[in-house]
Amino acid sequence: MDHAVSSDPGVQTQLDRLTALSPGRDVLGLERITALLARLDNPHHRLPPVFHVAGTNGKGSTCAFLRAAIEASGQTCHVYTSPHLVRFNERIRIAGRLIDDDSLAAYLARVLDIAEGTGASFFEVTTAAAFLAFAETPADACVIEVGLGGRLDATNVLAHPAVCGIAALGIDHEAFLLAPEEGTPDDPMERIAFEKAGIAKAEVPMVIQRYSIGMMGAIAGQAMRAGAFVQARGEDWDAALYQGRLHFRDVDGRLSLPLPRLPGEHQADNAALAVAMIRHQSALAIPDSALSAAMGWADWPARLQRLSDGPLTALLGTGEAIWLDGGHNPDAGAALAKHVASMGGKVHLVIGMLSNKQASALLGPLEPYLASVTALPVPGHEWHDADAFQACLTSGIEVEAAADVEAAVRGLADREPIPVLIAGSLYLAGEVLKANGQEPD
């Protein structure tokens, strides 16, 4: 269950009702959300043009680039993403602004009041509330992030999006996406690709990154069954970094764009996917100048984010940077290791991970660059303790434990003055941003 609290009494009342739902979080299937939306007169049929984004890593960043480009063009968009970092409101952005507390409480109440008997889950109610808010507020577009998987995710009731996109794919949420099912691929990565490509819709372009041959086959099969148009990287479009620019090309021509402001080479891939999605849809006119501006406008907290000066960074006292990332799977670990190597090669790692994630996913790629490791609890969740992380290390580093992120950072003040990386969970990332006074807005 998502850890959702609010300082607003009205919102908290609805979040308490939400938390009490059965069957709860991470239950896949479209029957419950379909029944719930029918009771609301199907608001998902009345949305402005939808940009629907799936993927294992990078889908949230892709959504951020899409939003930035749409807004840079002078248009407005609704955005639905998950999970939140600090405030539940972050999941629902209405025409450019986070939903306010009064509206959030009212929309959640409207959905919960009619949800009895549907068995709707936490995520399904939230999705229905977002769609209701989006249908009742004018905007030029919607950017919708898939919650889990794709084929059976609650957002997949969207029948006619303007364009679909699939970001980087990797192993995550194994218990839900890799369970055997008749008619699905046996290979784990092909199964992941099959599930994500389940968002394909008839006569809708589905823009994808470059994957293995087997994964491409699984995606092509889903697209063929749905009647979707696959737009594949390396065939229908492509992008590359060259001389400090992001160079993009497709059948409509070439673009030379600034590099994304978001740190990490992988963000260029996410930005390129967003550009390709925009250029392969026809519902919204977005000029090249807006695509260029989006590279600098896009913001996506807790993804290789350098913390600004604040109460938490002041505890370090060394002047070194504190970096924050919510990644928790092997691909995220590889991206973090690459970034650390580019900074000079050594960091103090402060890590908190949910117990259902692989501790080695981050520690394996990062181990050559670690000067120290401090383990933290993840408030409101079951988490790996210091012993679990210690078992993953072979370099002789002793994992220490701290009660919270403030204690962990304070304990590094007298250590070697090198950057600090806080990683392992978006839930922990939310606690970090709150401690440093950097709540997303």
Side-chain angles (χ1 to χ4, degrees):
M1 181 61 66
D2 279 5
H3 186 57
V5 296
S6 175
S7 59
D8 182 88
V11 173
Q12 189 59 54
T13 296
Q14 304 310 319
L15 292 180
D16 290 341
R17 296 175 67 190
L18 198 56
T19 302
L21 287 176
S22 177
R25 185 173 180 254
D26 292 343
V27 179
L28 301 180
L30 301 182
E31 300 84 2
R32 295 177 302 275
I33 185 66
T34 299
L36 186 59
L37 290 169
R39 295 185 182 185
L40 296 166
D41 195 27
N42 295 313
H44 58 303
H45 294 164
R46 305 190 302 275
L47 302 183
V50 171
F51 294 72
H52 198 196
V53 185
T56 307
N57 292 301
K59 59 182 176 175
S61 297
T62 300
C63 288
F65 284 112
L66 288 169
R67 174 196 163 203
I70 292 167
E71 293 182 345
S73 73
Q75 301 177 85
T76 57
C77 69
H78 305 312
V79 184
Y80 181 54
T81 57
S82 60
H84 60 280
L85 295 173
V86 180
R87 301 174 64 217
F88 189 86
N89 310 56
E90 297 163 32
R91 295 169 179 251
I92 302 173
R93 187 175 293 272
I94 302 179
R97 294 181 177 274
L98 293 186
I99 188 169
D100 62 73
D101 287 335
D102 289 344
S103 297
L104 176 58
Y107 279 115
L108 287 175
R110 286 173 62 183
V111 177
L112 287 164
D113 287 348
I114 58 89
E116 185 175 354
T118 63
S121 70
F122 183 106
F123 185 73
E124 289 161 347
V125 168
T126 305
T127 300
F131 289 171
L132 189 59
F134 295 167
E136 295 182 349
T137 308
D140 297 299
C142 281
V143 175
I144 308 292
E145 179 189 11
V146 168
L148 183 63
R151 180 173 63 100
L152 299 176
D153 182 74
T155 66
N156 205 30
V157 294
L158 299 165
H160 303 290
V163 62
C164 299
I166 304 179
L169 297 180
I171 298 293
D172 203 356
H173 302 289
E174 296 93 328
F176 300 97
L177 300 186
L178 298 181
E181 185 176 330
E182 185 177 352
T184 62
D186 294 328
D187 178 82
M189 290 306 299
E190 292 177 21
R191 175 64 190 274
I192 292 291
F194 174 89
E195 293 294 340
K196 306 294 185 180
I199 66 171
K201 299 295 184 299
E203 299 185 357
V204 173
M206 185 165 69
V207 182
I208 64 174
Q209 294 278 17
R210 188 181 285 111
Y211 313 108
S212 71
I213 293 175
M215 295 165 71
M216 293 292 285
I219 292 171
Q222 287 285 60
M224 185 178 298
R225 282 183 283 272
F229 308 128
V230 174
Q231 304 293 321
R233 184 170 186 171
E235 298 177 14
D236 305 287
W237 66 277
D238 211 343
L241 300 178
Y242 178 65
Q243 293 185 341
R245 305 279 291 180
L246 175 60
H247 295 269
F248 180 95
R249 63 94 179 157
D250 61 14
V251 69
D252 291 323
R254 297 175 180 270
L255 293 175
S256 176
L257 302 169
L259 294 183
R261 179 174 61 88
L262 293 177
E265 287 188 15
H266 59 288
Q267 292 296 1
D269 290 331
N270 299 327
L273 178 64
V275 171
M277 289 179 66
I278 287 169
R279 285 169 66 94
H280 285 92
Q281 57 83 40
S282 57
L284 215 64
I286 299 177
D288 292 347
S289 59
L291 301 178
S292 182
M295 300 300 110
W297 284 23
D299 183 45
W300 196 230
R303 281 75 174 183
L304 270 180
Q305 176 183 4
R306 180 171 178 166
L307 296 183
S308 59
D309 292 342
L312 186 63
T313 57
L315 295 177
L316 187 60
T318 64
E320 292 289 341
I322 299 181
W323 293 86
L324 175 66
D325 193 273
H328 50 256
N329 57 35
D331 287 343
L336 287 174
K338 193 170 186 178
H339 182 68
V340 171
S342 72
M343 292 192 302
K346 284 292 182 180
V347 293
H348 296 297
L349 176 65
V350 176
I351 187 168
M353 291 185 75
L354 303 189
S355 60
N356 63 353
K357 304 300 180 185
Q358 296 180 3
S360 60
L362 295 189
L363 288 185
L366 284 170
E367 185 166 7
Y369 309 106
L370 299 179
S372 71
V373 179
T374 305
L376 293 182
V378 182
H381 301 271
E382 295 183 2
W383 40 275
H384 287 303
D385 61 15
D387 290 341
F389 294 120
Q390 189 72 65
C392 298
L393 296 174
T394 61
S395 58
I397 293 175
E398 184 174 346
V399 179
E400 301 180 11
D404 52 41
V405 68
E406 290 92 345
V409 172
R410 193 179 294 113
L412 295 173
D414 296 327
R415 299 287 186 89
E416 180 184 359
I418 56 175
V420 174
L421 172 62
I422 305 175
S425 167
L426 286 172
Y427 298 109
L428 174 63
E431 296 296 320
V432 172
L433 292 173
K434 186 162 54 176
N436 203 47
Q438 285 186 250
E439 295 188 16
D441 55 20

